[in-house]
Amino acid sequence: MSERTDGMQTVFKNIKGDRLIWAIVALLAIASFLPVYSAASDLAYDKYNGNTFISFVKHFMHLFLGFVIMYGVHKIPYRYFRGLSLVTIPIVLVLLVVTMLQGTVVGGASASRWIKIPIVGMSFQTSALASVVLMVYVARYMSKMKDTNITLKKSILPLWLPVFLVLALILPSNFSTTAIIFSMVIFLVFLGGYPVRYLVVILGSGLLALVFFVMFAKLTTGPLHVKVTTWENRIKNYSNSKDTEADYQIEKAKVAIASGRVFGVGPGKSIQKHALPQSSSDFIFAIIIEEYGLIGGFIILTLYMWLLFRIVIVSQKSDTIFGKLLVLGVGVPIVFQALINMAVAVELFPVTGQTLPLISSGGTSIWMTCLAIGIILSVSAKREEIKEQEIKEDNPLEILSETI
Amino acid sequence: MAVNEKGILNRLYFIAGCMFVFGLAVLLKLFSIQYIQGDEYRALAEKRSVKYVTIPANRGNVYADDGSLLATSIPKYNIAIDAVTSKRKTFEEYIKPLCDSLSGYLSKSSSYYEKEIRKARLNKNQYYLLVKNITYTDYIRFRNFPLLKLGAISGGLIVEQTTKREFPMGSIARRTIGYEHIDKKGNVTRPGIDGAFGVKYLRGTDGLRKKQKIGNNKWKPLTDFNQVEPKDGFDVYTTIDVNIQDIAHHALWEQLDKYKADHGCVVVMETKTGEVKAISNLGRNSKGLYYERLNYAVGESHEPGSTFKLMALAAALEDKVIDTSDVVDTEKGRLTFYGKHVEDSNHRGYGKISVSEAFELSSNTGIVKAIHQAYKKKPSKFVDRLYDMNLDDSLDLSIIGEPNPIIPDPRIKNGRWSGIALPWMAFGYGVSFTPLQTLTFYNAVANGGEMVKPKFLKEVKEFDKVIKPYEKEVINKQICSKETIAKLRQLLRNVVDKKHGTGHKLYSKNFSMAGKTGTCQKDYRDKEKLNYISSFAGYFPADNPKYSCIVVIHEPDREIGYYGADVSGPVFKKIAQKIFIDTPLIDEINSLDVKVPAIEEEYETFYKTARTYKTIMPNVIGLPAMDALALLENMDVEVKVKLNGNGVITAQSVNKNEKLKNNQTVVLNAS
């Protein structure tokens, strides 16, 4: 090692873990300012008397807090997360119930996704926290079971009950998040070696539960009914060619993408941001392409793919099964969500309302992503600790995989 | 279950591979949107987010001849309230004061408004109309009302600006001034002057501004200039005289109302120039009220009846086949042609009378007989003479809707000519003219034979710059000889002046008028529906006409009266009288030496005496004392005059013709 890298080492002496992940996250965070700031100008025009700086400061505060969370979490040895997940699952369930009972209704549909944090006065999307906690919980269970022969019966109570409870509490207000969490859990238990035949059963019962829920909701006449009808319409719209509100959003997104061409129209010059209702969160990818062109979109996509690659590396390097599953359990959903968001913008996927992690504005999304990254970093930091203790053997392969 | 690292990693690679493929798919779709569907969406981008907003041009004004406004466009405001947008606290705080202010401005009570607005808020009504079509001043007042003062977002103020056409003269001459009305289906009605010149001059051209969408219904201009600058419409100056128009309108109204007539019109034209000084068209609506319904004067052609006798005689006089002094036999008031009768209104005729009297009495038999006898061998000659006087030409007015005149012609096979066509034409049946066409002929007679086209416009202006002046247009320099004109004018004058004239009721010793009455049957084919058209056409003053005027009233109530002189005449007289009174009297004095014949004579005698009697005593008895003194003292011999008393001389001491000596004393007695 040269002196220079030693000097760098002292600057970041407190920052542990995979430095490339740190770098990717920092790059994404920096990149997020431009489109969020630009897309928010329309919002500012309506809400903040034309003061775009407010949304800029807000976003900065969100990111700053996110980095604080990330830094704090990555300092925690990851083995503690086993116990923490056990403790937090009931808390999350309570929070979800509270959220649901708050019963916010937006446009006649049930939209109780948010909980108001007392004193601070900020809104918090409980399902995002639930997602991270649940993944840690599942990783813990799967690693605990690594040496036993798992059966469906045995796993129902400790694994699937909490999973379905969480999902059932999120479903009425947010179908897409439920679906994503469910598929991520399936993915994680699949990685953990859960027998595929049981997975089919679980998947089937999940679908059945959904059908029951929809049928039940249809019988009611409240906001739940409206919500279910909205889902139906969205899925119908995706498959048919009738012009609807969702089609309108997609069309705007595509117009934005098409107007961006290769180099984009330039920072802040997006026109479609005025037309797209969720320009600073759900459809931010379209705005990025409009303003920064295919190049900008490609860079963002690459950053996420690179993050995925680093997550795989960290997981690969982790010495414990829990470490491996934990990294994948919290890391892959980030990339998965990012891909879903982009897929919506390019009309590969029906409109869902998933944010682009780290780039979209919105506190909860940023903080939970940072929490997840913190966990990943904690796992990779642990590995580094172990590595430091080991004899410094200059295995060229080792160095290569560390630096890519 | 045995989980080993390898198993996890293998599955991980599979999943990661899937995600990578997903990422690639996103990228591919991105390219496809960019390159395959790109043009389509980019075109959409332009369409959806850029629009051209029209900037309406200000419509030009319409002015009267003295510059009074007849029609102008002013901004009007509709005020509504978005009852939902204001916060509960604000709403509750200001709702009462707002409603108090509203009830102060509008007629309903404060509690009424409070109830309504609260109801609107409950129903989530985002547009509750408070008031319509208010002026700018009132709009400013509204804007300062409580709650509304807080603006669109916090207070819910909604302001819509529209442009309204205002007519400061009210409904007067509305059909002639005209307007542009576009109904919901996009059909346009454009009567009158506005219709004739609206598109060309008044409207102007709208501007265009390119705007880009910035959010919901918010558009920002893309450039700091207009893509097309709006060009305001020009102002149109009409020939209408507001005072005459006012009299004409009200005089007509009064007569229509008095006779419960269906509709009527009056036109006043300046003789020399053809400028239409007043034009009023009133029709009755279902409620029996009169309003400017249609432009009857321009657009309604009808059989003129007796007013056409002037044209018939003009032709005959010009052809020298009749003279005013010719005597005709009115044959007990009935002539028969092919089984059809021509009757006099008194049903007994007037015996043997001159053509002139026949005209003055409006004897149908008299005129018909004269014309028939004169032209029966060659009726086309009569028709040709009418053509020569441009009676078959339409006036080619700028105001649309003028039908062509109808004159039967034996050479044209259109079913109009028959054996009775000539006699019937003679008293104004079988022919058809609009009031304005008839007036144009009368005006030509008043104008010494020069037929001028009626004109409505003086000029078109842009501020002070004249864009297009409208000059006097002459249709026919001399429709007939001066001699004929003089005879016609005498006839027209007699109608009013002569005791037996049908228009004598209008006679006034203060001012002179000339004209012809017309009482024409309408719908005479069905006795049940028989109605009358009462008209009066003429000019004033009779000697040196300044204005010509026609009054036509359709379907007066027969019970009340229907003679042209009774129904239409008074309108004519009122206008003439008013103009006469309003015109300042200008008396021209040719020389300051006023020659009174009596004085002149006296002077002549005096002068003669003074010249004749130089030394001989003249007769001074009967002369004023002053004159007598002057006479005697200016003689060649010096005499001393002693005057007793004053006044007229009654006695002289020296007799007439006696030779006077120097220093002789003459004593004169006066009293």
Side-chain angles (χ1 to χ4, degrees), chain B residues 5 25 28 35 105 155 175 177 294 300 311 391 417 428 508 551 569 592 622:
Chain B
E5 266 187 49
L28 265 175
Y35 293 102
Y105 177 83
R175 285 305 288 197
I177 296 165
L294 289 170
E300 189 185 39
M311 286 77 151
L391 280 166
W417 190 264
S508 163
V551 184
L592 284 173

Side-chain angles (χ1 to χ4, degrees), chain B residues 446-650:
Chain B
N447 199 23
E450 186 190 49
M451 189 184 257
V452 288
K453 181 176 159 178
K455 75 177 202 179
F456 294 93
L457 248 54
K458 265 209 152 93
E459 56 201 3
V460 174
K461 276 181 164 183
E462 184 186 28
F463 302 113
D464 276 349
K465 202 174 102 200
V466 175
I467 300 294
K468 183 175 166 66
Y470 284 82
E471 308 288 350
K472 166 179 169 179
E473 280 181 63
V474 177
I475 298 173
N476 189 333
K477 271 188 180 164
Q478 197 67 40
I479 53 166
C480 55
S481 68
K482 292 262 181 204
E483 199 187 343
T484 307
I485 291 290
K487 285 176 181 166
L488 293 174
R489 280 174 62 171
Q490 189 56 49
L491 289 175
L492 288 169
R493 188 177 187 146
N494 287 347
V495 169
V496 178
D497 284 0
K498 289 269 162 76
K499 276 220 161 56
H500 61 254
T502 52
H504 188 67
K505 281 177 187 164
L506 306 183
Y507 177 78
S508 163
K509 62 180 194 299
N510 294 324
F511 55 95
S512 60
M513 290 171 284
K516 179 76 191 77
T517 57
T519 310
C520 168
Q521 292 186 352
K522 185 183 180 182
D523 303 322
Y524 41 77
R525 284 183 184 84
D526 184 351
K527 287 271 180 212
E528 292 283 307
K529 283 193 200 154
L530 177 73
N531 251 313
Y532 288 92
I533 303 170
S534 307
S535 52
F536 193 94
Y539 51 83
F540 51 82
D543 291 326
N544 194 7
K546 283 197 75 175
Y547 298 101
S548 56
C549 172
I550 188 165
V551 184
V552 178
I553 291 177
H554 282 249
E555 301 172 28
D557 190 334
R558 275 183 288 162
E559 306 285 310
I560 307 171
Y562 55 87
Y563 284 110
D566 299 334
V567 182
S568 292
V571 180
F572 183 93
K573 187 178 177 181
K574 242 179 213 165
I575 294 168
Q577 187 170 20
K578 185 76 181 171
I579 292 175
F580 173 78
I581 291 167
D582 286 352
T583 314
L585 272 176
I586 301 168
D587 254 347
E588 220 171 277
I589 296 166
N590 291 327
S591 127
L592 284 173
D593 312 320
V594 186
K595 288 179 178 158
V596 180
I599 294 171
E600 211 61 13
E601 205 188 304
E602 246 171 59
Y603 176 74
E604 278 303 316
T605 347
F606 175 83
Y607 187 65
K608 220 171 139 191
T609 315
R611 293 282 294 271
T612 325
Y613 299 90
K614 302 278 186 188
T615 53
I616 301 165
M617 179 70 191
N619 177 28
V620 292
I621 292 171
L623 283 182
M626 286 304 291
D627 284 1
L629 272 179
L631 257 178
L632 296 176
E633 282 174 358
N634 283 312
M635 297 222 310
D636 286 352
V637 287
E638 290 203 6
V639 289
K640 284 174 184 160
V641 183
K642 197 179 169 202
L643 181 67
N644 297 325
N646 48 35
V648 181
I649 304 298
T650 51

Side-chain angles (χ1 to χ4, degrees), chain A residues 146 148-149 193 251 258 316, chain B residues 1 13 34 42 48 215 218:
Chain A
K146 66 176 191 270
T148 46
N149 244 339
E251 185 197 279
Q316 207 179 33
Chain B
M1 161 180 99
Y13 294 147
Q34 283 270 0
R42 279 188 282 271
R48 288 274 165 92
K218 294 185 196 79

Side-chain angles (χ1 to χ4, degrees), chain A residues 108-156:
Chain A
S110 106
S112 39
R113 298 178 181 184
W114 306 84
I115 193 169
K116 265 237 154 102
I117 307 170
I119 305 160
V120 193
M122 278 194 218
S123 302
F124 186 82
Q125 204 171 352
T126 33
S127 60
L129 175 67
S131 161
V132 176
V133 171
L134 194 64
M135 295 313 281
V136 177
Y137 178 82
V138 172
R140 181 204 68 91
Y141 177 79
M142 291 315 291
S143 63
K144 205 179 92 185
M145 290 291 131
K146 66 176 191 270
D147 296 325
T148 46
N149 244 339
I150 203 160
T151 62
L152 186 58
K153 221 170 153 187
K154 253 199 275 178
S155 64
I156 282 182

Side-chain angles (χ1 to χ4, degrees), chain A residues 77-122:
Chain A
Y78 75 84
R79 61 175 186 280
Y80 295 145
F81 294 126
R82 288 173 189 269
L84 270 176
S85 74
L86 263 180
V87 179
T88 33
I89 274 284
I91 299 175
V92 161
L93 285 174
V94 169
L95 280 177
L96 282 173
V97 170
V98 169
T99 310
M100 205 161 115
L101 290 181
Q102 275 194 344
T104 332
V105 173
V106 174
S110 106
S112 39
R113 298 178 181 184
W114 306 84
I115 193 169
K116 265 237 154 102
I117 307 170
I119 305 160
V120 193
M122 278 194 218

Side-chain angles (χ1 to χ4, degrees), chain A residues 307-317 328, chain B residues 12-13 16:
Chain A
L307 183 63
L308 177 67
F309 181 69
R310 290 313 304 175
I311 288 165
V312 169
I313 300 271
V314 169
S315 155
Q316 207 179 33
K317 297 238 161 142
L328 295 173
Chain B
L12 171 60
Y13 294 147

